[in-house]
């Protein structure tokens, strides 16, 4: 809907488009939405779940408040876990360091200088035991952000639960495991695509049989957005990754209603307020429709898209870092109004370093203020029926289906990744956005406008280099105390199973129980699977 011909108001010079480049009209009205709006939107808790996966939403239960935590050794991170729980956090979220994410032990040559820098170092089940010391796993849900070695870290966690007297079927939480977005965006892999997909499917199968409260895959658009994608690309590539995992599980012979209820999603909560709300609403509607009509799901639990959101790390600025408190608040509010089930709010100093305790506390308090003071949790989907938001939701859905069509034309998501299709689309979008910043067609306060030359330095958390030696010494002690023959036996069994079509979770758990390290297990599987080399994007 445009302004009337007689409207003499002059619009200011500005970029009236979303951060993703979607043109925004001066005004929206009933003629901007389709006639079947009521059917497509529905009510909260009912198909197609546009307005939320549950009827009562936050009137029944607030979202889980998680703060990403992990740095240095397991002792330091365990201390941060306890601090966050004492401050009112309701779920744990674990960040691992780069060597752990890449499948390297802390004593590997490539780990030098990186141990404990971006997250916590975990080499063996002994580290995982210390990481969760004093935290009863039967009473807390844990999220673990790790992908290529996810099966190994899940095995460690299962064994910690076992030691605490909490069987696998009682453990609740999520492990990311989304290897497709690694090849698309984050670039942390250990194996070629096909064996990596086999491991994901093994985890889905094993968890559906043994861990009914666990989410074996968190299908992640977060890192796709952090790599520079638009909101439409984040939505489309994430959902298409999810459909690909569903198809692989169905090919394995699993019933869709046996595993789909435990699939979850992880979306970025970016700075464009209404675009983000529309993205979440479109995601639920698309997922519900495809699960029902394409994949034959019968249970509503299989059609409900549940997601965790994290505020946009890429929106944080090193300049005037206190401005990030405002950015994070707006992004968190959009995630809540969009119906998230779990939320992490970034700390204002994270563009500079890992967050200090003060910054983490402010980030957590941001969620608590939204939940308990703002009133936005009083009713589900308060923007439902807004002509503007409904139009944005429809446009987001249309954009996703256009990408689905283009991906199918090249042979599906795996083949599209091999051909660098999503990688090129993201690179192009990132370049366009940077041009807008350079030309000041889009403003980031404190960066390309309203700058300040005499900023005071912000106190940051510094990781003691001595922690690396502490971790490598711990690994050496673990290796010295374990039964070397048992380790070799379990690693040989893991290699044998990798060469077959057997589910790899049991031999991975056996190797973990013998105190085999993550790096040793990755190396054993690489001897069968090989490694991966990315082809140039352009």
């Amino acid at each position: 809907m445009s302004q009337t011909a007689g409207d003499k108001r002059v619009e200011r010079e500005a970029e009236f488009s979303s951060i993703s480049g979607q043109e925004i009209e001066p005004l929206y009205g009933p003629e901007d939405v389709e006639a079947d709006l009521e059917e497509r939107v529905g009510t909260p808790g009912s198909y197609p779940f546009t307005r939320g996966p549950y009827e009562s939403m936050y009137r029944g239960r607030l979202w889980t408040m998680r703060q990403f935590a992990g740095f240095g050794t397991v002792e330091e991170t365990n201390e941060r876990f306890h601090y966050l729980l004492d401050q009112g956090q309701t779920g744990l979220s674990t960040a691992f360091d780069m060597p752990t994410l890449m499948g390297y032990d802390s004593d590997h040559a490539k780990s030098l200088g990186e141990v404990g820098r971006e997250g916590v170092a975990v080499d063996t089940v002994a580290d995982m035991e210390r990481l969760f010391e004093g935290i009863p796993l039967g009473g807390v849900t844990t999220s673990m952000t790790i992908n290529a070695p996810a099966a190994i870290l899940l095995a460690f966690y299962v064994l910690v639960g076992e030691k605490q007297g909490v069987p696998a079927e009682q453990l609740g939480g999520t492990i990311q495991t989304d290897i497709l977005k690694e090849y698309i965006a984050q670039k942390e892999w250990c194996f070629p695509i096909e064996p990596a997909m086999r491991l994901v499917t093994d985890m889905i199968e094993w968890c559906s049989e043994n861990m009914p409260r666990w989410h074996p895959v968190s299908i992640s658009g977060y890192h796709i957005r952090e790599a520079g994608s638009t909101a439409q690309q984040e939505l489309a590539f994430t959902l298409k990754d999810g459909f690909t995992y569903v198809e692989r599980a169905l090919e394995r012979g699993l019933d869709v209603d046996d595993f789909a209820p435990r699939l979850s999603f992880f979306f970025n909560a970016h700075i464009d307020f209404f675009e983000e709300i529309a993205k979440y609403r479109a995601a639920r509607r698309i997922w519900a429709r495809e699960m029902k009509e394409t994949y034959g799901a019968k249970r509503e639990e299989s059609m409900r898209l549940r997601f965790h959101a994290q505020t946009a790390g890429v929106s944080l600025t090193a300049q005037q870092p206190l401005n990030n408190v405002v950015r994070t608040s707006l992004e968190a509010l959009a995630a809540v109004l969009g119906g998230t089930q779990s939320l992490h709010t970034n700390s204002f100093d994270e563009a500079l370093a890992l967050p200090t305790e003060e910054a983490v506390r402010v980030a957590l308090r941001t969620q608590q203020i939204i939940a308990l003071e703002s009133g936005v949790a009083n009713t589900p989907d308060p923007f439902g029926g807004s002509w503007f938001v409904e139009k944005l939701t429809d446009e987001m859905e249309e954009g996703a289906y256009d990408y689905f069509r283009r991906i199918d034309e090249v042979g599906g998501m795996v083949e599209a990744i091999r051909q660098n299709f999503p990688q090129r689309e993201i690179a192009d979008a990132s370049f366009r956005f940077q041009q807008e910043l350079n030309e000041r067609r889009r403003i980031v306060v404190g960066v390309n406008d309203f700058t300040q030359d005499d900023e005071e330095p912000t106190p940051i958390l510094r990781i003691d280099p001595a922690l690396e030696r502490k971790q490598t010494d711990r690994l050496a002690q673990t290796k010295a105390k374990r039964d070397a023959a048992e380790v070799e036996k379990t690693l040989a069994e893991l290699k044998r199973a990798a060469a077959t079509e057997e589910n790899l979770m049991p031999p991975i758990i056996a190797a973990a129980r013998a105190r085999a390290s993550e790096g040793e297990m990755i190396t054993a599987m690489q001897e069968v699977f090989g490694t991966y080399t990315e082809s140039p994007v352009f």
Side-chain angles (χ1 to χ4, degrees):
M1 174 185 265
S2 300
Q3 289 171 306
T4 62
D7 194 335
K8 302 299 184 183
R9 289 175 296 177
V10 178
E11 291 184 343
R12 60 187 170 85
E13 290 188 13
E15 190 79 18
F16 292 109
S17 64
S18 73
I19 197 172
S20 298
Q22 186 75 35
E23 290 300 319
I24 304 299
E25 297 295 334
L27 187 65
Y28 290 81
E31 63 269 31
D32 289 302
V33 298
E34 299 293 331
D36 63 344
L37 177 65
E38 186 173 346
E39 180 182 340
R40 289 181 297 107
V41 172
T43 57
S46 298
Y47 181 88
F49 305 105
T50 308
R51 303 197 65 189
Y54 303 110
E55 182 179 359
S56 62
M57 288 301 290
Y58 308 133
R59 288 177 70 101
R61 176 183 175 185
L62 290 172
W63 61 92
T64 301
M65 299 181 191
R66 300 186 190 276
Q67 291 303 120
F68 211 27
F71 60 92
T73 65
V74 289
E75 285 86 0
E76 284 76 22
T77 302
N78 177 265
E79 184 178 337
R80 177 64 64 87
F81 280 169
H82 281 283
Y83 172 79
L84 288 168
L85 291 172
D86 289 344
Q87 295 299 313
Q89 180 170 301
T90 53
L92 297 177
S93 185
T94 314
F96 298 97
D97 69 357
M98 187 59 69
T100 304
L101 294 172
M102 297 293 293
Y104 296 119
D105 286 338
S106 296
D107 59 1
H108 193 284
K110 290 186 177 180
S111 301
L112 183 64
E114 293 293 336
V115 175
R117 291 286 172 176
E118 297 180 3
V120 63
V122 173
D123 294 314
T124 70
V125 68
D127 291 328
M128 192 70 93
E129 289 168 353
R130 182 65 186 87
L131 180 62
F132 291 99
E133 189 171 309
I135 299 172
L137 299 190
V140 68
T141 60
T142 300
S143 173
M144 293 189 284
T145 302
I146 194 159
N147 295 280
I152 296 170
L153 273 294
L154 178 60
F156 290 166
Y157 193 80
V158 167
L159 293 178
V160 174
E162 183 181 287
K163 185 175 181 180
Q164 290 188 7
V166 183
E169 59 266 24
Q170 293 180 19
L171 294 173
T174 305
I175 192 162
Q176 199 164 97
T177 317
D178 182 4
I179 197 61
L180 288 176
K181 63 90 178 155
E182 293 296 330
Y183 299 109
I184 293 172
Q186 190 157 273
K187 314 300 183 182
E188 293 162 2
W189 51 65
C190 296
F191 313 112
I193 297 178
E194 283 302 330
M197 287 293 289
R198 178 250 181 110
L199 264 175
V200 174
T201 312
D202 284 353
M203 290 179 66
I204 293 172
E205 181 180 44
W206 191 85
C207 287
S208 69
E209 297 171 355
N210 298 278
M211 299 185 76
R213 297 186 62 231
W214 192 265
H215 297 279
V217 184
S218 176
I219 305 151
S220 175
Y222 185 85
H223 307 92
I224 291 172
R225 194 68 180 279
E226 292 289 287
S229 80
T230 66
Q232 291 90 342
Q233 290 168 347
E234 178 194 358
L235 175 65
F237 298 156
T238 305
L239 291 179
K240 197 63 172 175
D241 285 349
F243 297 143
T244 304
Y245 296 131
V246 170
E247 290 161 8
R248 291 301 179 99
L250 292 175
E251 291 169 6
R252 179 70 65 89
L254 302 181
D255 186 291
V256 65
D257 286 317
D258 286 342
F259 68 85
R262 302 310 295 170
L263 299 180
S264 64
F265 285 81
F266 175 22
F267 286 115
N268 200 296
H270 218 294
I271 192 64
D272 195 306
F273 188 74
F274 289 105
E275 182 174 63
E276 293 303 290
I277 295 170
K279 179 184 71 181
Y280 306 133
R281 299 172 87 249
R284 282 192 293 268
R285 189 156 74 207
I286 295 169
W287 182 257
R289 179 190 301 117
E290 295 303 312
M291 291 306 293
K292 181 179 182 179
E293 298 180 4
T294 302
Y295 300 109
K298 300 292 190 297
R299 298 174 59 194
E300 284 200 336
E301 289 84 351
S302 302
M303 305 173 204
R304 284 192 181 101
L305 183 147
R306 283 76 48 84
F307 72 96
H308 169 74
Q310 179 176 337
T311 57
V314 73
S315 74
L316 302 178
T317 64
Q319 301 93 328
Q320 301 177 31
L322 283 176
N323 293 345
N324 295 328
V325 176
V326 181
R327 293 187 178 101
T328 295
S329 299
L330 287 170
E331 292 164 355
L333 184 58
V336 170
L337 292 171
T340 191
Q341 279 61 69
S342 172
L343 180 61
H344 164 90
T345 34
N346 288 330
S347 301
F348 66 81
D349 56 359
E350 286 191 64
L352 301 167
L354 291 171
T356 61
E357 277 195 0
E358 179 188 18
V360 167
R361 185 174 62 252
V362 170
L364 179 58
R365 294 290 183 257
T366 299
Q367 293 201 50
Q368 293 164 336
I369 290 169
I370 291 172
L372 303 173
E373 295 186 33
S374 72
V376 300
N378 290 345
T379 187
D381 190 33
F383 283 118
S386 157
W387 294 316
F388 177 42
V389 170
E390 296 300 350
K391 180 63 173 177
L392 285 182
T393 302
D394 290 346
E395 289 175 342
M396 197 71 66
E397 182 178 1
E398 292 163 8
Y401 273 102
D402 181 61
Y403 267 116
F404 294 166
R405 176 187 56 77
R406 296 168 67 186
I407 291 166
D408 289 340
E409 285 175 354
V410 299
M413 199 60 182
V414 170
E415 185 57 32
I417 291 170
R418 289 197 181 104
Q419 296 184 23
N420 283 323
F421 171 71
Q423 296 95 311
R424 283 194 303 271
E425 291 290 301
I426 293 169
D428 288 345
S430 180
F431 180 72
R432 286 193 300 272
F433 180 73
Q434 189 60 50
Q435 279 185 313
E436 291 177 358
L437 293 183
N438 294 344
E439 296 167 4
R440 297 186 70 252
R441 289 185 287 123
R442 195 171 297 279
I443 298 301
V444 175
V445 174
V447 176
N448 63 352
D449 205 351
F450 310 105
T451 56
Q452 184 177 334
D453 295 328
D454 56 345
E455 288 189 55
E456 292 291 325
T458 301
I460 62 173
L461 177 68
R462 300 187 185 278
I463 303 300
D464 186 349
L467 294 180
E468 183 164 324
R469 173 58 63 86
K470 183 178 179 181
Q471 179 62 23
T472 55
D473 286 348
R474 187 206 316 277
L475 178 58
Q477 292 169 10
T478 297
K479 289 181 176 180
K481 293 178 181 178
R482 68 190 185 181
D483 185 333
E486 183 64 16
V487 171
E488 290 303 316
K489 177 183 174 183
T490 58
L491 292 175
E493 175 59 18
L494 177 57
K495 282 196 290 186
R496 184 205 62 77
T500 71
E501 295 183 356
E502 295 177 23
N503 191 301
L504 291 179
M505 280 304 300
I508 287 173
I509 292 172
R513 194 186 303 278
R515 294 302 201 253
S517 70
E518 178 198 55
E520 289 169 329
M521 285 187 263
I522 292 293
T523 299
M525 287 186 281
Q526 284 177 335
E527 291 178 13
V528 179
F529 296 153
T531 56
Y532 179 75
T533 302
E534 184 180 33
S535 58
V537 174
F538 295 103

